[in-house]
Amino acid sequence: MTQAVVSSPIDSPRAIYCGDRELYLFSVELVDRPGSLAEVLAVFATYGVNIVNIYTTQSIYTDTRSTVEANIAADLTGKNVSSEQLAKSINLLNSVKRVTVVSKQLPNILVDELHFPLRVMGDRAVIYRDGALGEMIHAIRRQLGTAGEALLYHVGFNIGKGAWKKIKEICGEKMHLLPKYIQYWNLVHSAARIIHIEIDFEKKDFLIRAESVYECEVGRGHGKPFSNIFRGSLAGILNEALGVETVVETKCIAAGDPYCEFVPAKRP
C-alpha cells in the first residue's frame, strides 16, 4: 500500500505567532447551511481585513447538527475598523447566532483560550513538542539504559492496546481494512507516515514501513534502530489483531536508513 505524498506540515490552530501585528480571533456560531460562512467572510473583505487562519472545532460530523462554529483569526493592523465594530457587523447577519472576540494575550502570540481541552475525533489529546518529548526519551534511555528502553517499549505497548480499542470500534467487522486504519490512525495523530503496510492475518505476518516516526526523529544519528514507544504501540495493536508478541525494527532513520521498517520478531 502506498500513501499520497503530503506536501506540507500542518500547524495546530491553538496559537499563532504574530509579532507585533494586531491579530484578533473571532469565534462565530453559524446556522449550518450553505453560504453562511461566505457571508461572514464577505464582511472581513468589505473592511479590507486579511484572514490569517480559519478553523472549526468539531471533527465528528452528523447530519443532525443545526449550527457550526467558525473561528477566524484576522489581522486588523492599520485598519480603520475595530474588533468591536467588525463583530457588530458580523452579528447583523441572519446566519449568525453569536460572535465572541479574543485579543492577543501576549505581546507576540494570539492563543485560542475559548476552547479546551483539545480533542481528536472526540477523544481528549495532549500535545508534547519535540523538544520536551525528545528530552523525556533521551533521559529515560540515558538514566536507565536497557531497562529504560524496555520501559519505553512497554509504555508504547499499552498505548497500542488502548489504541486498538478505538480502532476496533471504528473499524467494526471490516478487519480487512485494518492496514488502512493503522496507516491513517498514525497520520491523524502525527506519529508517523506509513508508506507501506502489509498484514497477512492467516500467517500472522506483517511488514510496515514508515517515514518521519516521531521517536526516531529525535534519535537521528544514533547509529542503530531507536524506536521503542512507537514500536511498542504497533505491537500493542498487532498483539490484539494477530496475537503477535513482539515487533522488531529492522531499518531506522536514526541508523541512517531512508525509512523505518517493522516486522514480527519471528518472521517466516
Side-chain angles (χ1 to χ4, degrees):
M1 178 187 299
T2 58
Q3 179 179 342
V5 175
V6 178
S7 60
S8 65
I10 180 170
D11 274 354
S12 164
R14 299 295 304 169
I16 300 174
Y17 277 123
C18 53
D20 59 358
R21 307 296 294 181
E22 295 179 25
L23 258 63
Y24 293 84
L25 179 66
F26 295 80
S27 179
V28 186
E29 185 181 2
L30 300 163
V31 175
D32 189 15
R33 67 184 180 211
S36 292
L37 180 58
E39 293 175 7
V40 173
L41 298 183
V43 175
F44 288 93
T46 297
Y47 288 100
V49 173
N50 192 47
I51 293 172
V52 177
N53 198 353
I54 181 169
Y55 57 96
T56 60
T57 56
Q58 294 291 326
S59 59
I60 297 177
Y61 176 73
T62 67
D63 58 6
T64 59
R65 73 181 186 184
S66 59
T67 62
V68 63
E69 183 179 308
N71 296 279
I72 303 164
D75 186 2
L76 271 61
T77 307
K79 302 302 177 182
N80 293 321
V81 60
S82 68
S83 60
E84 292 83 3
Q85 290 172 318
L86 194 51
K88 287 180 180 178
S89 295
I90 294 170
N91 211 29
L92 290 174
L93 298 172
N94 291 330
S95 58
V96 172
K97 297 290 187 180
R98 169 191 55 80
V99 182
T100 305
V101 181
V102 175
S103 58
K104 287 167 58 177
Q105 302 91 341
L106 298 166
N108 58 349
I109 301 175
L110 171 64
V111 178
D112 180 352
E113 61 184 349
L114 298 175
H115 306 101
F116 185 86
L118 176 67
R119 296 186 184 276
V120 175
M121 294 189 298
D123 292 331
R124 181 171 181 175
V126 180
I127 296 174
Y128 291 100
R129 298 175 68 146
D130 58 359
L133 190 63
E135 180 58 31
M136 180 199 75
I137 291 171
H138 284 295
I140 290 175
R141 294 176 67 117
R142 183 172 60 249
Q143 295 169 11
L144 301 179
T146 55
E149 294 181 26
L151 173 63
L152 291 171
Y153 180 84
H154 286 289
V155 167
F157 188 82
N158 286 287
I159 289 174
K161 290 274 192 177
W164 166 255
K165 294 178 182 178
K166 190 67 176 182
I167 292 173
K168 187 177 180 181
E169 175 187 322
I170 298 171
C171 191
E173 300 299 321
K174 302 175 182 177
M175 281 296 108
H176 65 285
L177 293 177
L178 181 61
K180 278 195 172 183
Y181 276 100
I182 291 176
Q183 177 186 18
Y184 289 103
W185 182 268
N186 282 284
L187 191 67
V188 166
H189 291 84
S190 192
R193 287 185 58 223
I194 306 295
I195 57 174
H196 182 89
I197 179 168
E198 301 173 17
I199 297 179
D200 189 321
F201 290 92
E202 290 186 3
K203 295 181 179 180
K204 301 187 183 302
D205 190 21
F206 62 88
L207 172 64
I208 299 173
R209 291 175 180 155
E211 292 179 339
S212 300
V213 175
Y214 71 92
E215 185 180 14
C216 300
E217 288 278 6
V218 303
R220 281 189 182 274
H222 185 66
K224 59 183 180 179
F226 192 81
S227 178
N228 288 301
I229 302 176
F230 183 77
R231 181 169 61 91
S233 69
L234 291 177
I237 294 171
L238 294 167
N239 176 261
E240 294 286 350
L242 304 179
V244 171
E245 292 297 329
T246 308
V247 172
V248 297
E249 187 177 22
T250 55
K251 294 182 180 180
C252 182
I253 57 176
D257 296 312
Y259 52 80
C260 298
E261 183 176 270
F262 303 90
V263 299
K266 295 181 180 179
R267 192 176 184 216

